[in-house]
Amino acid sequence: MTNDAGIRPEVAPSGPGCVECTDGGGWWFHLRRCAECGHIGCCDSSPEQHASAHAAETGHPIIQSYEPGEDWFWDYTTEQIVEGPDLAPPVNHPVDQPAPGPQGAVPADWVQHIHQ
């Protein structure tokens, strides 16, 4: 199933990491990219779940994984994987950036803080 509503392929990502975690000194497990505006947020397993919060606040329903080697899209409205076009580069966070990340901000007991 292809869903082009909520996808703007020409929009570049907002940066290499979760906008809110970076601004607030937080950390993330994995990253997601808003397919409409390029906002990078942390996944729903991350402590703050900024990607889904962004979707709820803005009405931007489609995300794409921002992890190296992953290119799947997710639609928050249907709660299903959808197909989408190639998005503007870069298509993932820097490969030397660890997951969880960012380096130096992840607590030693990070596994105890993720959402299952």
Side-chain angles (χ1 to χ4, degrees), residues 89-111:
V91 296
N92 52 254
H93 65 74
V95 293
D96 63 348
Q97 177 177 294
Q103 189 168 1
V106 182
D109 65 344
W110 66 269
V111 173

Side-chain angles (χ1 to χ4, degrees), residues 67-107:
E67 293 298 315
E70 298 181 359
D71 62 359
W72 53 264
F73 287 81
W74 178 260
D75 185 332
Y76 283 112
T77 14
T78 63
E79 295 186 359
Q80 294 183 354
I81 290 179
V82 295
E83 293 181 19
D86 291 340
L87 300 181
V91 296
N92 52 254
H93 65 74
V95 293
D96 63 348
Q97 177 177 294
Q103 189 168 1
V106 182

Side-chain angles (χ1 to χ4, degrees), residues 2 7 42 45 53 61 75 97-98 114-115:
T2 301
I7 300 177
C42 54
S45 294
D75 185 332
Q97 177 177 294
I114 62 171
H115 296 271

Side-chain angles (χ1 to χ4, degrees), residues 18-28 47-48 50 101-107:
C18 175
V19 173
E20 292 84 4
C21 287
T22 301
D23 289 349
W27 62 276
W28 54 81
E48 300 297 327
H50 289 122
Q103 189 168 1
V106 182

Side-chain angles (χ1 to χ4, degrees), residues 22-48:
T22 301
D23 289 349
W27 62 276
W28 54 81
F29 183 49
H30 290 266
L31 297 171
R32 307 295 179 236
R33 173 184 180 168
C34 175
E36 188 162 342
C37 73
H39 175 272
I40 301 299
C42 54
C43 72
D44 284 350
S45 294
S46 299
E48 300 297 327

